[in-house]
Amino acid sequence: MTIRRTVVVAALGALAIACAPPQASNDSPRQTASAGGTVGATTGELRVWLFQEPTNAPKEAVVTEARAEFEKAHPGVTVNVEYLPVDTRASRFNGAFNDPASAPDVAEFGNTDLAGYTASNGFAELTADVKAWPDGKDLVPSVLDTAKVDGRTYGIPWYTGTRALYYRTDVFDELDLKPPKTLKELTETARRIRAAKPDLYGIATGGKSQYSFLPYIWANGGDVAKQDGDTWKSTIDAKQARAGLTQYAELLHDDICPPSACAQLTGSQSVAAFAGGKAGMVIGGDFNRAAIDAGAVKGKYAVVPLPGTKSGSIAPAFAGGNLLGVFRSSDRYTLSLEFVELLGGKKYQEKMFGAMGNMPTFADVQNRVAKSDEFLAPFIRTAQAGTRFVPSTPAWTKIDAAGVLPTAVQQIATGQLDVDAATSAAATQMNEDFGS
């Protein structure tokens, strides 16, 4: 496959950090029915909002093909697609939730925005329809979970993205190192690299690289919060979560990645350091490939799944990505659903992979595309091993924007607070935001 995945970097990166959810309240009648039923008009204009990519032509080509197929199969229907800049999505969606007359029928949206949008009653529930959809049985379960709030499904995962461990093959060969099989081995390997090559970070990672340290929490059996009925409560101060953060903070030491340089690093900055030849390893996404290939390490790296705490295990990764959903205010529910199932189905997900490099969300399609591009194999293994997600509540947006968890990691790494004090403070702040 030619490398055409550059365009996905900005979109997925933007979606990894949720914007403030709209504070709208959509009280429109809910357009839904039991699976297989027909609801709403079946002719006329179908309005679709999709995100604009930095280079939009490849995406437009696939969408245009899907639109033509849909219109041919639905006489009397015109599909009107508008491409929205990602950074203005909050105001556009907020306006649509407040004014159904200005709303589309179908929209693409980030999975980290879902909780806020459902709190605004913005999207129709698709639970029964996704269960009845033939393609639906092959959706990777943990990826489908990113389309759910309180167990109800509100979208079809259109693409996903995960992170794995990039490592320098030239450095590993020179030092006779093997890819680590556990997180403990990763720390030891990073120390050996730094000791042998003081000009390199053993691993480039940072206190602000949230999607690098979350797998450490999850791999150690912890989580950031748990839900009890309608209430969320922080668990970042639980024993397992503390163990994960302690293990991750070991990487932010002078003998691996000095806190003076690394405590402030974000995930993107860590990847840039690796790409620039300044590190032996980095935790990066499939969507970072183009950036790394544009750097000094092109042709000198390989990728394996980020290991877990036991040999042979894979640390759960955060599942980023975008969803396709039906606006709750749409008066063409069935027509909208059928378009979502076409564009979000196996055929066009595979076409979108070819055009954009977007990782599909169906296990069988993932397996097919991995055969055409070996680079994807560790990311797909990671996705299929089971990914995790952040709390599906609008409160998470506030917690995320305030950098509550990165602050705790930085406090631990710099010695400002020990792990117990840092996580206790984080838990208190999180629970205030959760209202628990």
Side-chain angles (χ1 to χ4, degrees):
M1 182 193 77
T2 57
I3 299 177
R4 291 171 286 186
R5 62 194 341 109
T6 308
V7 292
V8 78
V9 177
L12 195 56
L15 292 170
I17 303 175
C19 66
Q23 299 301 313
S25 179
N26 180 2
D27 296 321
S28 302
R30 185 175 183 177
Q31 296 290 328
T32 188
S34 59
T38 300
V39 175
T42 56
T43 59
E45 182 186 43
L46 192 71
R47 297 185 60 203
V48 178
W49 284 359
L50 302 176
F51 289 144
Q52 186 175 27
E53 309 295 341
T55 303
N56 211 49
K59 182 175 187 175
E60 287 187 47
V62 175
V63 174
T64 296
E65 183 181 347
R67 183 176 63 187
E69 179 178 335
F70 191 80
E71 290 178 347
K72 183 177 180 180
H74 296 79
V77 173
T78 300
V79 179
N80 183 357
V81 180
E82 181 181 356
Y83 292 91
L84 308 182
V86 175
D87 57 3
T88 64
R89 70 193 188 278
S91 60
R92 292 296 302 272
F93 278 83
N94 187 34
F97 295 156
N98 277 299
D99 179 18
S102 69
D105 299 286
V106 170
E108 173 185 4
F109 57 102
N111 57 20
T112 53
D113 290 333
L114 175 62
Y117 290 169
T118 56
S120 299
N121 294 320
F123 283 89
E125 183 187 341
L126 307 182
T127 306
D129 290 292
V130 172
K131 285 183 179 179
W133 183 37
D135 282 6
K137 70 182 188 309
D138 294 318
L139 286 165
V140 176
S142 58
V143 176
L144 179 58
D145 284 344
T146 69
K148 295 179 179 180
V149 175
D150 295 332
R152 294 186 286 273
T153 303
Y154 292 92
I156 289 174
W158 197 16
Y159 70 83
T160 189
T162 59
R163 289 166 175 81
L165 184 68
Y166 288 76
Y167 67 95
R168 288 274 298 274
T169 51
D170 57 338
V171 172
F172 273 57
D173 288 345
E174 179 184 345
L175 301 180
D176 194 26
L177 299 173
K178 301 295 183 183
K181 294 182 180 180
T182 66
L183 290 175
K184 181 180 179 180
E185 285 185 17
L186 188 156
T187 303
E188 295 167 351
T189 301
R191 284 201 182 100
R192 288 183 61 184
I193 293 171
R194 179 75 171 170
K197 294 182 173 291
D199 57 326
L200 295 181
Y201 301 143
I203 181 171
T205 195
K208 293 184 178 180
S209 185
Q210 183 160 277
Y211 299 111
S212 296
F213 66 69
L214 283 176
Y216 276 74
I217 296 172
W218 294 327
N220 277 273
D223 208 342
V224 297
K226 65 178 180 180
Q227 187 175 16
D228 183 9
D230 294 331
T231 304
W232 285 86
K233 183 176 176 60
S234 176
T235 55
I236 198 64
D237 55 348
K239 179 180 178 180
Q240 297 91 336
R242 284 173 169 169
L245 288 180
T246 298
Q247 190 171 41
Y248 180 80
E250 287 185 58
L251 304 179
L252 301 178
H253 279 190
D254 289 338
D255 61 354
I256 295 179
C257 199
S260 59
C262 301
Q264 296 294 324
L265 287 183
T266 64
S268 296
Q269 291 168 335
S270 300
V271 169
F274 179 82
K278 298 179 181 179
M281 297 181 285
V282 73
I283 299 169
D286 57 292
F287 42 87
N288 291 131
R289 179 183 187 177
I292 291 173
D293 279 342
V297 299
K298 181 178 181 179
K300 301 176 184 177
Y301 70 85
V303 187
V304 293
L306 182 68
T309 56
K310 296 181 180 179
S311 182
S313 66
I314 296 175
F318 171 78
N322 284 9
L323 313 172
L324 292 173
V326 177
F327 256 68
R328 191 171 185 263
S329 59
S330 173
D331 57 5
R332 291 174 171 81
Y333 176 87
T334 298
L335 199 64
S336 299
L337 177 67
E338 290 176 354
F339 185 75
V340 166
E341 290 181 342
L342 176 68
L343 186 58
K346 294 181 181 181
K347 175 182 176 180
Y348 283 98
Q349 279 204 22
E350 194 157 357
K351 287 178 179 290
M352 284 294 291
F353 167 77
M356 302 280 294
N358 295 359
M359 187 191 295
T361 61
F362 300 98
D364 54 339
V365 181
Q366 288 181 349
N367 293 336
R368 282 201 300 273
V369 302
K371 291 179 181 179
S372 68
D373 189 351
E374 292 182 1
F375 166 83
L376 284 178
F379 298 99
I380 289 174
R381 284 179 58 199
T382 298
Q384 295 184 1
T387 55
R388 301 287 289 274
F389 201 56
V390 294
S392 296
T393 167
W396 177 254
T397 301
K398 184 176 181 180
I399 294 167
D400 193 29
V404 174
L405 296 185
T407 296
V409 172
Q410 291 171 315
Q411 291 169 334
I412 298 165
T414 60
Q416 181 180 351
L417 294 175
D418 64 24
V419 66
D420 288 358
T423 55
S424 293
T428 297
Q429 181 60 59
M430 290 173 69
N431 287 333
E432 287 181 9
D433 292 332
F434 285 140
S436 58

